[in-house]
Amino acid sequence: METKVLTVDPAHPEPAAIADAAAVLRRGGLVAFPTETVYGLGANALDAAACARIFAAKGRPPNNPIIVHAADMETARQVVTSWPESASRLANRFWPGPLTLVLPKNTAVPDLVTAGGPTVAVRVPARPVALALLRAAGVPVAAPSANLSGQLSPTRAEHVLRSLNGRIDVIVDGGPAPGGLESTVVDLSRSPPRLLRPGLIGPSAIETIVGPVERLATAGQPDAVLRSPGLLPRHYAPRAPLECVETAAEARVSELASQGLRIGWLTFGQPRQRLLAGVTTIVMPTDPAEYAAHLYAVLHELDDAGVERIVVDLPPDSEEWLTVRDRLRRASA
Ligand code: TXA
Ligand code: MG
């Protein structure tokens, strides 16, 4: 199939383009669109055949459930069978925004969206383009990140095109996705709630609203994998092998460079030793939100430049860096 790119104004998307994309969703097609986190690959969440196309286009394993996107809280409530007070409180505080809630699913949601499980993940995204598209479509939209399974999430339309050109109907190009990392996923179907995937909203911010939240110390616990495949140890990875270094990254970079490998080096703050032959050095922001906003775009660039190894100076082991470190670890597993 030919993939059509519809370019829209990020803040005020043209209604005609949005109507075209919404019509594709309503007739069972696949539409990639920007959210405030990353680009999603959407299909009508109530149409099993359309959702099956997401798995086919991405090469996504059937045991990985998909997040359902809704235009507003009312629509979100239609895909679940219970809506605890904690859900109202979190939704009122963080929606539209990068928070995904896991709740018991309604039978209207096809089993493949939830990987056969009894719960569904739902969120209201914050980008004008995403909200306009969801409203025009008039249905909830299942949307994982718009990349081939296992690869880096896209933060720009060109990343989507490179990964899925010819495999999906439409890409709505609404400029860069500003957040840069996927939403926080919280399971409210159990008590206490459990953080399934760290994201742009930190666990303490959630705890101030709903009290203690169970945090998973490490990814890869069997239960965690079943409950939330975003927790698979290797995920969100660039093509070039990536290694994280807590200290003495310069020594490691020099060692790899001396083997004649082309290296991409993400430093945290200014490196002391700047010019090494064969090393592309990128100074990453020391602010967590800025780092998150740039990380995937930088990794996409290094892949495109054909580096053979990526070395990353890890940011500090503190809560504000939780999500960045989580994604870097997965990229390196
Ligand atoms: O920021 C985001 O959340 C992006 C944008 C496009 O909204 N979407 C995204 O979707 O990252 P995806 O499909 O790549 O991530 C889905 C992850 C699963 O791997 C799992 O961790 C969790 O969300 N998830 C989805 N449905 C679930 C369910 N029923 N129960 C538990 N976890 C679920
Ligand atoms: Mg993904």
mmCIF file of all heavy atoms in Angstrom, residues 123-153:
data_model
loop_
_atom_site.group_PDB
_atom_site.id
_atom_site.type_symbol
_atom_site.label_atom_id
_atom_site.label_comp_id
_atom_site.label_asym_id
_atom_site.label_seq_id
_atom_site.Cartn_x
_atom_site.Cartn_y
_atom_site.Cartn_z
ATOM 1 N N ARG A 123 -5.673 6.097 27.855
ATOM 2 C CA ARG A 123 -5.213 7.446 28.198
ATOM 3 C C ARG A 123 -5.798 8.485 27.245
ATOM 4 O O ARG A 123 -6.201 8.164 26.126
ATOM 5 C CB ARG A 123 -3.690 7.533 28.211
ATOM 6 C CG ARG A 123 -3.005 7.743 26.864
ATOM 7 C CD ARG A 123 -1.490 7.825 27.098
ATOM 8 N NE ARG A 123 -0.741 8.231 25.910
ATOM 9 C CZ ARG A 123 -0.313 9.472 25.671
ATOM 10 N NH1 ARG A 123 -0.578 10.456 26.525
ATOM 11 N NH2 ARG A 123 0.383 9.760 24.588
ATOM 12 N N VAL A 124 -5.840 9.730 27.714
ATOM 13 C CA VAL A 124 -6.246 10.875 26.897
ATOM 14 C C VAL A 124 -4.971 11.672 26.613
ATOM 15 O O VAL A 124 -4.389 12.252 27.529
ATOM 16 C CB VAL A 124 -7.277 11.764 27.629
ATOM 17 C CG1 VAL A 124 -7.614 12.992 26.777
ATOM 18 C CG2 VAL A 124 -8.538 10.969 27.949
ATOM 19 N N PRO A 125 -4.500 11.665 25.360
ATOM 20 C CA PRO A 125 -3.240 12.347 25.048
ATOM 21 C C PRO A 125 -3.424 13.860 24.975
ATOM 22 O O PRO A 125 -4.547 14.348 24.821
ATOM 23 C CB PRO A 125 -2.863 11.781 23.676
ATOM 24 C CG PRO A 125 -4.170 11.421 23.047
ATOM 25 C CD PRO A 125 -5.099 11.032 24.176
ATOM 26 N N ALA A 126 -2.325 14.604 25.076
ATOM 27 C CA ALA A 126 -2.451 16.059 25.213
ATOM 28 C C ALA A 126 -2.220 16.859 23.937
ATOM 29 O O ALA A 126 -2.461 18.049 23.928
ATOM 30 C CB ALA A 126 -1.482 16.550 26.299
ATOM 31 N N ARG A 127 -1.742 16.276 22.877
ATOM 32 C CA ARG A 127 -1.425 17.061 21.674
ATOM 33 C C ARG A 127 -2.678 17.496 20.926
ATOM 34 O O ARG A 127 -3.590 16.675 20.726
ATOM 35 C CB ARG A 127 -0.637 16.189 20.734
ATOM 36 C CG ARG A 127 0.846 16.351 20.562
ATOM 37 C CD ARG A 127 1.510 17.492 21.065
ATOM 38 N NE ARG A 127 2.257 18.177 20.006
ATOM 39 C CZ ARG A 127 2.774 19.382 20.129
ATOM 40 N NH1 ARG A 127 2.591 20.060 21.240
ATOM 41 N NH2 ARG A 127 3.451 19.921 19.158
ATOM 42 N N PRO A 128 -2.727 18.755 20.447
ATOM 43 C CA PRO A 128 -3.887 19.200 19.662
ATOM 44 C C PRO A 128 -4.187 18.274 18.478
ATOM 45 O O PRO A 128 -5.357 17.981 18.205
ATOM 46 C CB PRO A 128 -3.480 20.588 19.166
ATOM 47 C CG PRO A 128 -2.461 21.067 20.144
ATOM 48 C CD PRO A 128 -1.751 19.852 20.667
ATOM 49 N N VAL A 129 -3.161 17.808 17.783
ATOM 50 C CA VAL A 129 -3.390 16.945 16.611
ATOM 51 C C VAL A 129 -4.046 15.632 17.049
ATOM 52 O O VAL A 129 -5.007 15.161 16.436
ATOM 53 C CB VAL A 129 -2.063 16.652 15.863
ATOM 54 C CG1 VAL A 129 -2.284 15.652 14.727
ATOM 55 C CG2 VAL A 129 -1.469 17.953 15.318
ATOM 56 N N ALA A 130 -3.545 15.048 18.127
ATOM 57 C CA ALA A 130 -4.101 13.776 18.612
ATOM 58 C C ALA A 130 -5.556 13.967 19.052
ATOM 59 O O ALA A 130 -6.437 13.164 18.700
ATOM 60 C CB ALA A 130 -3.256 13.249 19.772
ATOM 61 N N LEU A 131 -5.812 15.028 19.787
ATOM 62 C CA LEU A 131 -7.180 15.257 20.281
ATOM 63 C C LEU A 131 -8.140 15.541 19.131
ATOM 64 O O LEU A 131 -9.267 15.034 19.109
ATOM 65 C CB LEU A 131 -7.189 16.402 21.294
ATOM 66 C CG LEU A 131 -6.546 16.037 22.638
ATOM 67 C CD1 LEU A 131 -6.386 17.285 23.507
ATOM 68 C CD2 LEU A 131 -7.376 14.977 23.365
ATOM 69 N N ALA A 132 -7.696 16.329 18.153
ATOM 70 C CA ALA A 132 -8.557 16.634 17.006
ATOM 71 C C ALA A 132 -8.890 15.349 16.252
ATOM 72 O O ALA A 132 -10.045 15.116 15.854
ATOM 73 C CB ALA A 132 -7.861 17.639 16.087
ATOM 74 N N LEU A 133 -7.897 14.501 16.071
ATOM 75 C CA LEU A 133 -8.107 13.251 15.343
ATOM 76 C C LEU A 133 -9.059 12.322 16.109
ATOM 77 O O LEU A 133 -9.977 11.730 15.533
ATOM 78 C CB LEU A 133 -6.754 12.560 15.116
ATOM 79 C CG LEU A 133 -6.788 11.227 14.373
ATOM 80 C CD1 LEU A 133 -7.317 11.408 12.940
ATOM 81 C CD2 LEU A 133 -5.390 10.591 14.332
ATOM 82 N N LEU A 134 -8.860 12.216 17.418
ATOM 83 C CA LEU A 134 -9.724 11.347 18.239
ATOM 84 C C LEU A 134 -11.168 11.846 18.216
ATOM 85 O O LEU A 134 -12.108 11.054 18.116
ATOM 86 C CB LEU A 134 -9.195 11.285 19.677
ATOM 87 C CG LEU A 134 -7.882 10.519 19.854
ATOM 88 C CD1 LEU A 134 -7.278 10.785 21.224
ATOM 89 C CD2 LEU A 134 -8.105 9.020 19.646
ATOM 90 N N ARG A 135 -11.328 13.158 18.296
ATOM 91 C CA ARG A 135 -12.693 13.718 18.263
ATOM 92 C C ARG A 135 -13.344 13.467 16.920
ATOM 93 O O ARG A 135 -14.506 13.054 16.838
ATOM 94 C CB ARG A 135 -12.667 15.223 18.539
ATOM 95 C CG ARG A 135 -12.550 15.519 20.009
ATOM 96 C CD ARG A 135 -12.770 17.012 20.273
ATOM 97 N NE ARG A 135 -12.015 17.370 21.459
ATOM 98 C CZ ARG A 135 -10.934 18.123 21.473
ATOM 99 N NH1 ARG A 135 -10.462 18.672 20.347
ATOM 100 N NH2 ARG A 135 -10.301 18.354 22.594
ATOM 101 N N ALA A 136 -12.592 13.693 15.842
ATOM 102 C CA ALA A 136 -13.155 13.518 14.497
ATOM 103 C C ALA A 136 -13.463 12.048 14.229
ATOM 104 O O ALA A 136 -14.449 11.726 13.555
ATOM 105 C CB ALA A 136 -12.184 14.067 13.449
ATOM 106 N N ALA A 137 -12.632 11.151 14.740
ATOM 107 C CA ALA A 137 -12.855 9.720 14.501
ATOM 108 C C ALA A 137 -14.111 9.257 15.241
ATOM 109 O O ALA A 137 -14.839 8.380 14.773
ATOM 110 C CB ALA A 137 -11.642 8.908 14.940
ATOM 111 N N GLY A 138 -14.343 9.817 16.421
ATOM 112 C CA GLY A 138 -15.543 9.468 17.177
ATOM 113 C C GLY A 138 -15.504 8.083 17.795
ATOM 114 O O GLY A 138 -16.529 7.576 18.260
ATOM 115 N N VAL A 139 -14.337 7.462 17.782
ATOM 116 C CA VAL A 139 -14.171 6.138 18.404
ATOM 117 C C VAL A 139 -12.880 6.170 19.221
ATOM 118 O O VAL A 139 -11.984 6.975 18.929
ATOM 119 C CB VAL A 139 -14.053 5.007 17.336
ATOM 120 C CG1 VAL A 139 -15.384 4.766 16.653
ATOM 121 C CG2 VAL A 139 -12.946 5.304 16.325
ATOM 122 N N PRO A 140 -12.763 5.304 20.238
ATOM 123 C CA PRO A 140 -11.467 5.177 20.900
ATOM 124 C C PRO A 140 -10.461 4.565 19.920
ATOM 125 O O PRO A 140 -10.848 3.793 19.047
ATOM 126 C CB PRO A 140 -11.746 4.240 22.078
ATOM 127 C CG PRO A 140 -13.045 3.574 21.782
ATOM 128 C CD PRO A 140 -13.793 4.431 20.813
ATOM 129 N N VAL A 141 -9.199 4.949 20.054
ATOM 130 C CA VAL A 141 -8.181 4.535 19.083
ATOM 131 C C VAL A 141 -7.039 3.796 19.791
ATOM 132 O O VAL A 141 -6.387 4.357 20.678
ATOM 133 C CB VAL A 141 -7.638 5.771 18.321
ATOM 134 C CG1 VAL A 141 -6.407 5.427 17.489
ATOM 135 C CG2 VAL A 141 -8.734 6.362 17.421
ATOM 136 N N ALA A 142 -6.857 2.534 19.412
ATOM 137 C CA ALA A 142 -5.737 1.753 19.944
ATOM 138 C C ALA A 142 -4.479 2.221 19.232
ATOM 139 O O ALA A 142 -4.461 2.298 18.002
ATOM 140 C CB ALA A 142 -5.953 0.267 19.691
ATOM 141 N N ALA A 143 -3.443 2.561 20.000
ATOM 142 C CA ALA A 143 -2.233 3.078 19.362
ATOM 143 C C ALA A 143 -0.968 2.773 20.148
ATOM 144 O O ALA A 143 -0.679 3.432 21.147
ATOM 145 C CB ALA A 143 -2.338 4.589 19.137
ATOM 146 N N PRO A 144 -0.205 1.793 19.689
ATOM 147 C CA PRO A 144 1.144 1.620 20.225
ATOM 148 C C PRO A 144 2.056 2.621 19.537
ATOM 149 O O PRO A 144 1.620 3.348 18.637
ATOM 150 C CB PRO A 144 1.507 0.196 19.799
ATOM 151 C CG PRO A 144 0.767 -0.008 18.522
ATOM 152 C CD PRO A 144 -0.502 0.813 18.629
ATOM 153 N N SER A 145 3.313 2.665 19.936
ATOM 154 C CA SER A 145 4.252 3.552 19.257
ATOM 155 C C SER A 145 4.374 3.110 17.790
ATOM 156 O O SER A 145 4.279 1.929 17.476
ATOM 157 C CB SER A 145 5.603 3.509 19.958
ATOM 158 O OG SER A 145 6.031 2.173 20.115
ATOM 159 N N ALA A 146 4.580 4.099 16.901
ATOM 160 C CA ALA A 146 4.513 3.843 15.457
ATOM 161 C C ALA A 146 5.860 3.427 14.882
ATOM 162 O O ALA A 146 6.465 4.135 14.071
ATOM 163 C CB ALA A 146 3.978 5.081 14.745
ATOM 164 N N ASN A 147 6.329 2.272 15.325
ATOM 165 C CA ASN A 147 7.618 1.748 14.864
ATOM 166 C C ASN A 147 7.508 0.238 14.714
ATOM 167 O O ASN A 147 6.594 -0.368 15.281
ATOM 168 C CB ASN A 147 8.705 2.063 15.899
ATOM 169 C CG ASN A 147 8.313 1.610 17.295
ATOM 170 O OD1 ASN A 147 7.613 2.339 18.004
ATOM 171 N ND2 ASN A 147 8.706 0.413 17.684
ATOM 172 N N LEU A 148 8.438 -0.361 13.977
ATOM 173 C CA LEU A 148 8.488 -1.809 13.941
ATOM 174 C C LEU A 148 8.777 -2.301 15.353
ATOM 175 O O LEU A 148 9.495 -1.650 16.114
ATOM 176 C CB LEU A 148 9.579 -2.287 12.977
ATOM 177 C CG LEU A 148 9.300 -2.031 11.492
ATOM 178 C CD1 LEU A 148 10.535 -2.375 10.647
ATOM 179 C CD2 LEU A 148 8.096 -2.861 11.016
ATOM 180 N N SER A 149 8.186 -3.436 15.708
ATOM 181 C CA SER A 149 8.324 -3.973 17.055
ATOM 182 C C SER A 149 9.790 -4.100 17.464
ATOM 183 O O SER A 149 10.622 -4.547 16.677
ATOM 184 C CB SER A 149 7.650 -5.341 17.101
ATOM 185 O OG SER A 149 7.647 -5.824 18.399
ATOM 186 N N GLY A 150 10.078 -3.665 18.695
ATOM 187 C CA GLY A 150 11.437 -3.807 19.221
ATOM 188 C C GLY A 150 12.348 -2.641 18.883
ATOM 189 O O GLY A 150 13.392 -2.465 19.490
ATOM 190 N N GLN A 151 11.954 -1.820 17.909
ATOM 191 C CA GLN A 151 12.799 -0.689 17.538
ATOM 192 C C GLN A 151 12.471 0.540 18.375
ATOM 193 O O GLN A 151 11.539 0.542 19.165
ATOM 194 C CB GLN A 151 12.622 -0.365 16.058
ATOM 195 C CG GLN A 151 13.156 -1.476 15.155
ATOM 196 C CD GLN A 151 13.165 -1.073 13.690
ATOM 197 O OE1 GLN A 151 12.724 0.009 13.319
ATOM 198 N NE2 GLN A 151 13.680 -1.956 12.855
ATOM 199 N N LEU A 152 13.270 1.580 18.158
ATOM 200 C CA LEU A 152 13.067 2.840 18.875
ATOM 201 C C LEU A 152 11.713 3.437 18.555
ATOM 202 O O LEU A 152 11.261 3.383 17.413
ATOM 203 C CB LEU A 152 14.087 3.860 18.389
ATOM 204 C CG LEU A 152 15.507 3.776 18.881
ATOM 205 C CD1 LEU A 152 16.331 4.830 18.154
ATOM 206 C CD2 LEU A 152 15.558 4.009 20.379
ATOM 207 N N SER A 153 11.094 4.056 19.535
ATOM 208 C CA SER A 153 9.859 4.793 19.273
ATOM 209 C C SER A 153 10.171 6.035 18.449
ATOM 210 O O SER A 153 11.236 6.626 18.585
ATOM 211 C CB SER A 153 9.207 5.215 20.592
ATOM 212 O OG SER A 153 8.773 4.090 21.307
#
